[in-house]
Amino acid sequence: ETYEQHVISFEEKATNLRKARRLYNLLMMKRKESLEQGIKSFQAICAQLEKMKKTNKAMGIAGGTTCAVGGVAAVVGIALAPVTMGTSLIVTAVGAGVAASAGGFGAHAFKTNKKMVNRSTVEELVNNYKSNVVDMEHCLAFIFTLMKELQRYKISQFYGAHPDAVRMAELSQNVFKNNMNTDGGISLFHLSGMTSEILLKAFSSQIDLYFTEKKGQKLKKSDKSKFLGAVNNLTKNLQAELDYLINMWETLC
C-alpha cells in the first residue's frame, strides 16, 4: 500500500466518523427529551405501585431483585457479540451523508396514564423507549468501531492528510484515553451498542410472570411487589445508560 493509498484510507475512515458523529448528534437532539419522558413514565409506574403497596397491607414482601439477574445475564451474554446488528442502518445513513432530519428513525412521544398499571401500558412504554434508543446505541457503537480503527494510524505520519481527518483521529485518541475502564478500553457493553435494548428485552420476556391470564392486563396481587422491584431496577439501569449516552454526546461535541 502506497503512502497516498494509506492517506486515502485514513481520510475515508475519518470522514465516516465525522458523519456518524453528526448523525448521533441529530438523534440525540431529536430524542433526548422523549427518552427522559420515558424514564419519568417508568418512575410514575413505580410511584403508582408504591401507593398500591402501601394501601394493601396484605401484600407479600418486596422483591427488589426479580428480573435483575435475567437482565444482567442477558447483557453479559451479548457483551462479546460483534458490532453487526444495526450497523447496516448506520452505514446507510453515513453513506447518504446524513439527512437533515433524523425523523426517519421513528421518534415517538410517550403517552402513559400514570393511574394505569396494566400490561398494554407497560408494553407500549417499553416499545416506545426501545424504538428511540436502539438506533442511538448502535450509532454510538459504530462511532467507537471507527475510532478503534483510527487508533491504528500514527497521526504524525499524515502530514499530507486533510486537517479534519487529523482532528477526528485526535478526537478518537482523547475519547479512548478519557473513557478507559478496568479492562483498558471502552466497555464491551457499549461497544456492542445494545445495552438498553437487551435490558428492555429481558424485562419484556418476564412480563408474563406478573399479569393474570385473563387478557393478561391485570397485575397478580401476589406479584405486585416483585413487579415494582423489576420496574424499579429497569428504570435505574435505563437512567444510567441514558446518562452515559448524554455524556458521550457532550464528549463527542
Side-chain angles (χ1 to χ4, degrees):
E1 187 178 47
T2 65
Y3 173 75
E4 289 74 17
Q5 291 174 325
H6 204 48
V7 171
I8 290 174
S9 176
F10 170 72
E11 289 183 337
E12 284 180 348
K13 288 182 174 63
T15 297
N16 282 340
L17 173 58
R18 179 175 58 80
K19 291 179 179 179
R21 179 168 156 259
R22 184 186 172 197
L23 174 61
Y24 186 69
N25 182 56
L26 287 170
L27 289 171
M28 182 60 77
M29 287 192 297
K30 195 170 185 67
R31 300 182 181 183
K32 177 177 176 287
E33 186 176 347
S34 290
L35 290 170
E36 290 174 336
Q37 184 58 47
I39 295 291
K40 290 179 181 178
S41 295
F42 277 120
Q43 292 172 337
I45 289 176
C46 288
Q48 186 64 22
L49 287 168
E50 284 283 8
K51 289 181 181 179
M52 293 165 65
K53 178 182 175 182
K54 290 179 181 179
T55 56
N56 187 352
K57 296 181 180 181
M59 189 171 292
I61 58 173
T65 59
T66 302
C67 195
V69 175
V72 172
V75 173
V76 172
I78 204 69
L80 299 179
V83 185
T84 54
M85 186 180 294
T87 299
S88 59
L89 169 67
I90 305 301
V91 170
T92 299
V94 171
V98 185
S101 170
F105 288 85
H108 294 284
F110 292 101
K111 297 179 181 179
T112 302
N113 186 334
K114 294 182 180 180
K115 296 182 179 180
M116 293 177 63
V117 182
N118 58 48
R119 181 169 185 148
S120 60
T121 299
V122 174
E123 288 184 330
E124 180 181 6
L125 179 56
V126 167
N127 291 333
N128 283 342
Y129 196 93
K130 189 187 301 181
S131 69
N132 276 275
V133 78
V134 169
D135 291 333
M136 290 174 59
E137 290 189 324
H138 288 320
C139 185
L140 185 58
F142 184 63
I143 287 172
F144 287 155
T145 299
L146 290 171
M147 285 184 164
K148 286 188 69 176
E149 292 179 0
L150 286 176
Q151 296 288 303
R152 301 170 186 169
Y153 296 90
K154 291 184 179 180
I155 301 177
S156 59
Q157 295 179 351
F158 294 96
Y159 53 85
H162 194 283
D164 282 345
V166 174
R167 280 194 287 270
M168 288 299 99
E170 291 174 341
L171 174 65
S172 300
Q173 289 184 352
N174 291 333
V175 168
F176 271 75
K177 181 181 179 180
N178 297 326
N179 288 274
M180 290 294 205
N181 58 24
T182 55
D183 296 323
I186 288 177
S187 169
L188 286 173
F189 296 165
H190 297 116
L191 284 173
S192 73
M194 294 179 281
T195 309
S196 294
E197 180 182 10
I198 293 301
L199 290 170
L200 290 164
K201 283 184 177 179
F203 175 80
S204 296
S205 69
Q206 298 189 34
I207 283 183
D208 285 339
L209 300 175
Y210 306 112
F211 290 88
T212 58
E213 293 182 5
K214 187 178 181 181
K215 295 185 179 181
Q217 289 297 315
K218 192 174 181 180
L219 268 174
K220 296 177 183 176
K221 290 183 179 180
S222 61
D223 285 330
K224 287 180 181 178
S225 286
K226 291 180 180 179
F227 187 64
L228 168 59
V231 177
N232 188 50
N233 180 68
L234 175 68
T235 304
K236 289 180 179 179
N237 286 331
L238 290 179
Q239 182 65 66
E241 288 307 311
L242 180 56
D243 290 343
Y244 179 81
L245 291 173
I246 294 173
N247 178 61
M248 290 312 304
W249 180 37
E250 295 170 348
T251 299
L252 292 170
C253 286

